[in-house]
Amino acid sequence: MSLPTVLTCLRILLTFVTMALLFLPGGAAKVAAFATFLIASATDWLDGYLARRWRQTSALGALLDPIADKVLVLGMFLAFIQLDLVPGWMVLVIAFREFLITGVRLFAAHRHVVLPAASEGKHKTVSQVVTLIVLFLVLIIQESVGPGALSPIARAMMDGLRVGCLWVTMLLTLVSGTSFFLRHRTVLKDAISR
């Protein structure tokens, strides 16, 4: 197994480590969870960079990389539902979009049709990671200062930032999903009719 593929597998493992740390009590555990999440996110860039630089792209790596990305993002959002920082219906919409488009891509690939990623999908991914970073920071601040220690203005600002990021992510999720199907509708019809 090549190093890029090992890094991809490591990202999946680090997702579960991050989730476990999130549910441990205390601010130190939350900071450790955040650091682990950042390392896991960095492997997403590093595995692709190394695979291209060392020409170690493989079918296994191409299959595992998007799965690892989805495990990381959806795993974190699911954890934040449990921590009452994210409404469950929002994560359901995000998960539905991710699984639907992944399924369509796999179906098209089985029919020897490649559906490339577009800028909308990349913006959506960036918004998801930024939102998760904001959620981590909100949780760390809440855990560090204790309940009731924040002023009403500080609480309102943190809630506004958290909710605003979630809505931006939701909007980009819906826009990228809609544009994906509109852009590839002809290709998808051809693939289905084969």
Side-chain angles (χ1 to χ4, degrees), residues 1-179:
M1 191 182 299
S2 67
L3 180 57
T5 304
V6 169
L7 288 171
T8 301
C9 294
L10 179 63
R11 185 155 69 256
I12 296 173
L13 176 64
L14 289 176
T15 299
F16 294 104
V17 172
T18 304
M19 292 172 77
L21 289 168
L22 271 173
F23 294 112
L24 291 177
K30 305 306 185 282
V31 171
F34 183 43
T36 307
F37 169 75
L38 292 176
I39 293 168
S41 298
T43 66
D44 185 23
W45 171 82
L46 186 59
D47 63 5
Y49 172 78
L50 292 178
R52 288 185 300 273
R53 183 175 178 119
W54 294 347
R55 295 187 180 96
Q56 291 186 343
T57 56
S58 65
L60 178 61
L63 174 69
L64 285 178
D65 187 61
I67 292 172
D69 294 345
K70 284 162 186 50
V71 168
L72 177 63
V73 168
L74 294 176
M76 293 302 97
F77 276 122
L78 289 170
F80 284 122
I81 290 174
Q82 189 66 28
L83 294 166
D84 290 325
L85 288 172
V86 180
W89 69 267
M90 283 188 166
V91 178
L92 186 63
V93 170
I94 292 169
F96 180 75
R97 182 259 183 220
E98 297 296 340
F99 288 124
L100 181 63
I101 289 182
T102 300
V104 168
R105 276 207 169 103
L106 289 173
F107 173 77
H110 181 70
R111 303 284 180 118
H112 307 291
V113 176
V114 177
L115 301 177
S119 60
E120 299 92 354
K122 292 172 185 171
H123 296 152
K124 178 266 309 174
T125 301
V126 169
S127 79
Q128 288 176 345
V129 172
V130 169
T131 297
L132 288 170
I133 289 171
V134 167
L135 292 171
F136 270 106
L137 294 176
V138 166
L139 185 63
I140 289 168
I141 292 168
Q142 288 177 346
E143 196 78 24
S144 299
V145 300
L150 288 172
S151 70
I153 293 174
R155 275 200 309 272
M157 288 174 61
M158 281 178 31
D159 279 345
L161 180 61
R162 175 181 62 84
V163 172
C165 285
L166 284 168
W167 276 107
V168 168
T169 295
M170 280 295 304
L171 180 63
L172 290 175
T173 296
L174 294 172
V175 167
S176 67
T178 303
S179 69

